[in-house]
Amino acid sequence: MAMEFLRSCRRLSESSGSAIALILLLFIHGANSFYLPGVAPQDFEKGDELKVKVNKLTSIKTQLPYSYYSLPFCRPSKIVDSTENLGEVLRGDRIENAPYSFKMREAQMCNILCRVTLDAKKAKAFKEKIDDEYRVNMILDNLPLVVPIERVDQGSPSVVYQLGYHVGLKGQYEGSKEQKFFMHNHLAFTVRYHRDIQTDAARIVGFEVKPYSVKHEYEGEWSEKTRLTTCDPHTKRLVVSSATPQEVEQKKEIIFTYDVDFQESEVKWASRWDTYLLMSDNQIHWFSIVNSLMIVLFLSGMVAMIMLRTLYRDISRYNELETQEEAQEETGWKLVHGDVFRLPTNSDLLCVYVGTGVQCLGMVFVTMIFAMLGFLSPSNRGGLMTAMLLLWVFMGLFAGYASSRLYKMFKGTEWKRIAFRTAFLFPAVVSAIFFVLNALIWGQKSSGAVPFGTMFALIFLWFGISVPLVFVGGYIGFKKPAVDDPVKTNKIPRQIPEQAWYMNPVFSILIGGILPFGAVFIELFFILTSIWLNQFYYIFGFLFLVFVILIVTCAEITVVLCYFQLCSEDYLWWWRSYLTSGSSALYLFLYATFYFFTKLQITKLVSAMLYFGYMLIASYAFFVLTGTIGFYACLWFTRLIYSSVKID
């Protein structure tokens, strides 16, 4: 078993572009049976029962999931819901048992599942889901069901896998222009397994299906022993095409059938997710990294020029001023030394946003570390979202600490007020948007609506854990002695001279947001595709590199623009440093809008509102994240340069 884990880690490091997972190999040399959470293998003997489960119905056109049994499919005698984690519930997963009966390595042909006679309501339900291109999702041994699709790639055939099969399809009969709806009522399952030669036990490594639409026929009256004439293993008549499709109309009879075939595979259990996670566009990811690195190198060159040449020359010249007349004639950034650390406007709000940004930064950083190590792999369904929520809650400690430390630097005395605002401002805005979107989903009777119990759990995490931690962090941060407090409170501030058009606050802020966005927008395309087009994203190694580049880019562009601002004798840098890098969120939302109109096929108003609502939340979080990075970089820069010159 340990060898299986070693292979899994090795493939994980290769697929994610990161070598971090390989470090684990140094610490598990003596392990006998150790596996990442949610991915422990299961051995099956010949004839063992395999439990097939059904999941939600999904559509990239509506983005509204529905439970499998919201449609009149064949049902088991008793529907049993599987236990789901917080992330699965928020994703709209509804995992339930299925009426299919599989026996390990025992093929089955033309099994009759049930017969359904459509009334007007059932026919309408099927037609609506077919028209919206809904797919049926199933699970076997924690592997999602896929449909293999052959395509020609650069002259050579290849196979891609589509998650889930379509409920049905639309089409016309030959010679007719009338649009008809057809049901996929025959499923040809293929279960791939890897067999242990010594024990003869097998592990499932693949779960595929080919759906067919077949108008089944039979002789005589319907009974439990009825044999179909269109699909009968006794006469070797199997379904291989949809030549006579099954229409979806009122009073039509639909017979659901399925085949099960077992095929031995050379793919080992540790590699079974490779087909799901295989990225055929690695070159584009590398282009993304190169693109981001070029931006960083450009900015690094500018920062180096400022720090090592211009700034060094300025400091040397300022320190050499000897006479009072020379000191009075000084210009540039030293001239505003008495006002550069003046208390900013709305300083309390700035403290709150900085604390929230620290909370976001900690959550994202730790989540990516765990994701690269494989703890949040797709096999651990819902694990990524659950981890992000829990980390957000526990990072409240750092949010309170950061906001209260900055508040104390601003000579504040009511730290509890700042802690309260930090604990409630950002979550309240996000919750308000979330509740509105959830109400819309409830109105559509979608399984994506968060149940009352889960809503209560979210509120408990917020009020019961996050809020107290913010206050604890605020207390620690405020009581800690201040060191080298730079904030001044001069009575009469200097008048800021008229600035050139390119130093206009709005213009410089918008310009500053372009480069951080430019460093991540290629990878952003893949993230949006995985979220809204029902695909897996698992290139966390690339994503972590891009995230590090984003941090460096935000810091460097803010430092560069802050230096130019101070040189023009504008000392109002506090908020501008936050907004400079934070404005990249505006470009993120604009790109999301562009993606909506060019890549998605959403036509319903509710679905469009869901998309823009969730992207607004994502952009807001991106704003506080990048803004905080820029603020701390600029704070460090200003304290560094003004502590390097002689000020009388």
Side-chain angles (χ1 to χ4, degrees), residues 306-513:
I306 291 173
M307 298 294 290
L308 300 179
R309 184 177 179 182
T310 308
L311 195 58
Y312 179 77
R313 182 186 59 197
D314 289 347
I315 293 174
S316 299
R317 181 167 57 86
Y318 289 151
N319 289 337
E320 290 174 358
L321 296 177
E322 296 181 354
T323 66
Q324 184 69 19
E325 292 76 12
E326 289 176 324
Q328 291 177 351
E329 294 177 0
E330 64 186 30
T331 59
W333 56 269
K334 186 184 178 184
L335 193 62
V336 295
H337 65 81
D339 300 286
V340 72
F341 292 112
R342 180 179 296 278
L343 191 69
T345 306
N346 296 321
S347 59
D348 289 2
L349 185 62
L350 180 61
C351 296
V352 171
Y353 270 109
V354 169
T356 303
V358 170
Q359 192 173 8
C360 283
L361 182 62
M363 177 196 68
V364 173
F365 184 81
V366 177
T367 300
M368 286 192 182
I369 294 296
F370 278 103
M372 286 196 302
L373 295 177
F375 290 98
L376 303 178
S377 69
S379 59
N380 187 11
R381 193 173 290 102
L384 181 62
M385 186 170 293
T386 302
M388 291 182 68
L389 282 172
L390 294 179
L391 284 171
W392 166 265
V393 168
F394 290 110
M395 287 295 167
L397 181 69
F398 298 96
Y401 180 85
S403 60
S404 65
R405 287 298 292 169
L406 186 61
Y407 180 69
K408 186 172 185 178
M409 191 177 76
F410 289 157
K411 312 298 185 183
T413 57
E414 300 179 7
W415 69 269
K416 293 180 181 179
R417 183 182 63 184
I418 294 300
F420 179 84
R421 292 182 179 180
T422 304
F424 284 94
L425 179 60
F426 180 83
V429 173
V430 173
S431 297
I433 300 174
F434 178 77
F435 281 127
V436 172
L437 297 180
N438 195 58
L440 294 175
I441 300 174
W442 268 113
Q444 298 296 314
K445 299 180 180 179
S446 168
S447 66
V450 178
F452 175 79
T454 305
M455 194 72 71
F456 178 80
L458 293 175
I459 294 175
F460 173 77
L461 288 174
W462 179 12
F463 287 89
I465 301 178
S466 179
V467 172
L469 286 177
V470 172
F471 275 87
V472 171
Y475 176 80
I476 296 173
F478 190 78
K479 294 301 180 181
K480 185 177 180 180
V483 179
D484 191 20
D485 189 352
V487 174
K488 308 299 179 184
T489 55
N490 294 16
K491 294 182 180 180
I492 303 176
R494 291 180 57 87
Q495 183 177 0
I496 300 175
E498 184 177 352
Q499 299 176 347
W501 63 271
Y502 53 84
M503 286 308 299
N504 180 275
V506 176
F507 179 80
S508 61
I509 287 172
L510 293 178
I511 289 297

Side-chain angles (χ1 to χ4, degrees), residues 74-99:
C74 302
R75 295 169 174 253
S77 57
K78 181 181 179 182
I79 298 177
V80 179
D81 294 327
S82 299
T83 303
E84 297 168 346
N85 58 43
L86 182 60
E88 288 178 304
V89 176
L90 294 177
R91 283 164 25 108
D93 287 348
R94 297 296 181 268
I95 302 175
E96 299 161 310
N97 60 324

Side-chain angles (χ1 to χ4, degrees), residues 298-308 555-557 559-560:
F298 169 73
L299 288 175
S300 299
M302 294 188 66
V303 171
M305 180 182 66
I306 291 173
M307 298 294 290
L308 300 179
E556 290 182 340
I557 189 62
V559 166
V560 169

Side-chain angles (χ1 to χ4, degrees), residues 7 17 23 36 84 108 127 136 186 256 280 308 318 370 377 395 455 469 524 534 565 568 616 633:
R7 298 189 190 99
I23 299 175
L36 298 178
E84 297 168 346
Q108 304 176 45
K127 285 182 178 180
V136 177
H186 180 84
F256 291 89
S280 59
L308 300 179
Y318 289 151
F370 278 103
S377 69
M395 287 295 167
M455 194 72 71
L469 286 177
L524 179 63
N534 196 29
Q565 177 186 353
S568 63
L616 182 62

Side-chain angles (χ1 to χ4, degrees), residues 268-285:
K268 296 185 178 180
W269 183 88
S271 309
R272 66 177 189 165
W273 276 90
D274 287 5
T275 55
Y276 298 90
L277 306 178
L278 181 62
M279 303 295 291
S280 59
D281 40 25
N282 278 337
Q283 291 183 349
I284 300 178
H285 283 276

